[in-house]
Protein backbone atom coordinates (compact mmCIF):
# COMPACT_ATOMS: atom_id res chain seq x y z
CA UNK A 1 0.00 0.00 0.00
CA UNK A 2 1.00 3.64 -0.32
CA UNK A 3 1.44 3.94 3.45
CA UNK A 4 4.10 1.21 3.35
CA UNK A 5 6.08 3.03 0.66
CA UNK A 6 7.27 6.09 2.57
CA UNK A 7 10.67 7.51 3.50
CA UNK A 8 13.39 5.00 2.60
CA UNK A 9 10.92 2.53 1.11
CA UNK A 10 9.74 2.17 -2.49
CA UNK A 11 7.06 -0.14 -3.83
CA UNK A 12 8.64 -2.88 -5.92
CA UNK A 13 6.62 -5.80 -7.26
CA UNK A 14 3.78 -4.98 -4.86
CA UNK A 15 5.90 -4.78 -1.72
CA UNK A 16 7.80 -2.09 0.15
CA UNK A 17 11.54 -2.31 -0.54
CA UNK A 18 14.14 -0.43 1.49
CA UNK A 19 16.49 1.35 -0.93
CA UNK A 20 18.83 2.35 1.90
CA UNK A 21 20.08 -1.25 2.17
CA UNK A 22 21.89 -0.56 -1.13
CA UNK A 23 23.64 2.49 0.34
CA UNK A 24 27.21 2.20 1.65
CA UNK A 25 27.45 2.06 5.43
CA UNK A 26 29.87 5.01 5.24
CA UNK A 27 29.26 7.86 2.80
CA UNK A 28 32.28 10.05 1.99
CA UNK A 29 30.98 13.62 1.92
CA UNK A 30 34.06 14.76 -0.04
CA UNK A 31 33.29 12.40 -2.95
CA UNK A 32 30.67 12.31 -5.68
CA UNK A 33 27.32 11.38 -4.16
CA UNK A 34 26.28 9.12 -7.07
CA UNK A 35 25.31 5.59 -6.07
CA UNK A 36 27.14 2.88 -8.04
CA UNK A 37 26.27 -0.73 -8.86
CA UNK A 38 29.23 -2.15 -6.89
CA UNK A 39 28.50 -5.79 -7.71
CA UNK A 40 24.80 -5.34 -6.93
CA UNK A 41 25.25 -4.26 -3.32
CA UNK A 42 25.43 -0.51 -3.98
CA UNK A 43 28.37 1.78 -3.51
CA UNK A 44 29.49 5.39 -3.89
CA UNK A 45 31.43 6.93 -6.76
CA UNK A 46 35.00 7.57 -5.60
CA UNK A 47 35.64 10.60 -7.84
CA UNK A 48 35.95 14.10 -6.39
CA UNK A 49 32.69 16.04 -6.38
CA UNK A 50 32.18 19.49 -7.83
CA UNK A 51 29.78 22.25 -6.71
CA UNK A 52 26.80 20.12 -7.80
CA UNK A 53 27.77 17.33 -5.40
CA UNK A 54 28.59 14.99 -8.28
CA UNK A 55 31.72 14.30 -10.31
CA UNK A 56 32.05 15.50 -13.90
CA UNK A 57 30.88 12.14 -15.32
CA UNK A 58 27.83 11.64 -13.08
CA UNK A 59 26.84 15.31 -13.23
CA UNK A 60 26.89 15.40 -17.04
CA UNK A 61 23.41 14.73 -18.38
CA UNK A 62 22.29 13.69 -14.89
CA UNK A 63 23.91 10.25 -15.27
CA UNK A 64 23.66 9.89 -11.49
CA UNK A 65 19.94 9.22 -12.01
CA UNK A 66 20.71 5.68 -13.23
CA UNK A 67 21.40 4.39 -9.68
CA UNK A 68 20.29 7.48 -7.75
CA UNK A 69 22.27 9.42 -5.18
CA UNK A 70 23.59 7.79 -2.01
CA UNK A 71 21.36 10.08 0.04
CA UNK A 72 18.15 9.36 -1.84
CA UNK A 73 15.97 6.71 -3.45
CA UNK A 74 16.95 4.37 -6.28
CA UNK A 75 14.80 4.55 -9.43
CA UNK A 76 12.24 1.71 -9.37
CA UNK A 77 13.66 -0.22 -12.35
CA UNK A 78 17.19 -0.15 -10.93
CA UNK A 79 15.94 -1.00 -7.43
CA UNK A 80 14.33 -4.15 -8.87
CA UNK A 81 17.73 -5.01 -10.43
CA UNK A 82 19.47 -4.55 -7.06
CA UNK A 83 16.89 -6.76 -5.32
CA UNK A 84 17.09 -9.43 -8.04
CA UNK A 85 20.92 -9.47 -7.98
CA UNK A 86 20.91 -9.86 -4.19
CA UNK A 87 18.34 -12.65 -4.27
CA UNK A 88 20.32 -14.45 -6.97
CA UNK A 89 23.52 -14.12 -4.94
CA UNK A 90 21.76 -15.12 -1.72
CA UNK A 91 22.52 -11.79 -0.06
CA UNK A 92 20.01 -10.48 2.42
CA UNK A 93 21.14 -6.94 3.03
CA UNK A 94 22.86 -5.18 0.16
CA UNK A 95 25.62 -2.75 1.13
CA UNK A 96 24.46 -2.10 4.69
CA UNK A 97 27.08 -3.53 6.99
CA UNK A 98 29.21 -4.98 4.19
CA UNK A 99 32.70 -3.75 3.35
CA UNK A 100 32.87 -1.77 0.13
CA UNK A 101 33.75 -3.88 -2.87
CA UNK A 102 36.64 -2.94 -5.15
CA UNK A 103 34.44 -3.82 -8.16
CA UNK A 104 34.09 -1.12 -10.78
CA UNK A 105 31.06 0.13 -12.63
CA UNK A 106 32.05 -1.98 -15.67
CA UNK A 107 30.36 -5.09 -14.26
CA UNK A 108 26.94 -3.52 -13.73
CA UNK A 109 23.88 -4.83 -15.60
Amino acid sequence: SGAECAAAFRCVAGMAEDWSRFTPSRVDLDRCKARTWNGGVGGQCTAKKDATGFCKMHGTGDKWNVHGAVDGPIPDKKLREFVKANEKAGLAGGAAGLPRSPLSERGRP
Side-chain angles (χ1 to χ4, degrees):
S1 77
E4 295 172 350
C5 299
F9 292 88
R10 298 288 290 263
C11 281
V12 176
M15 60 183 281
E17 186 60 51
D18 183 4
W19 55 260
S20 67
R21 74 182 227 204
F22 302 108
T23 299
S25 57
R26 290 186 319 183
V27 173
D28 186 339
L29 301 177
D30 294 323
R31 298 292 170 189
C32 173
K33 63 180 185 174
R35 184 186 322 274
T36 60
W37 179 249
N38 194 26
V41 297
Q44 179 181 7
C45 176
T46 59
K48 287 180 121 180
K49 69 178 181 179
D50 62 18
T52 68
F54 298 98
C55 66
K56 186 174 181 177
M57 182 187 80
H58 284 111
T60 303
D62 290 332
K63 289 180 183 171
W64 66 270
N65 280 317
V66 173
H67 296 98
V70 292
D71 60 355
I74 301 170
D76 288 340
K77 181 180 177 190
K78 188 56 70 175
L79 181 56
R80 285 191 294 272
E81 291 177 26
F82 274 108
V83 170
K84 185 176 179 180
N86 276 250
E87 287 173 352
K88 186 175 181 180
L91 300 174
L98 293 178
R100 290 179 66 173
S101 167
L103 296 177
S104 71
E105 283 272 334
R106 292 184 198 125
R108 75 175 189 264

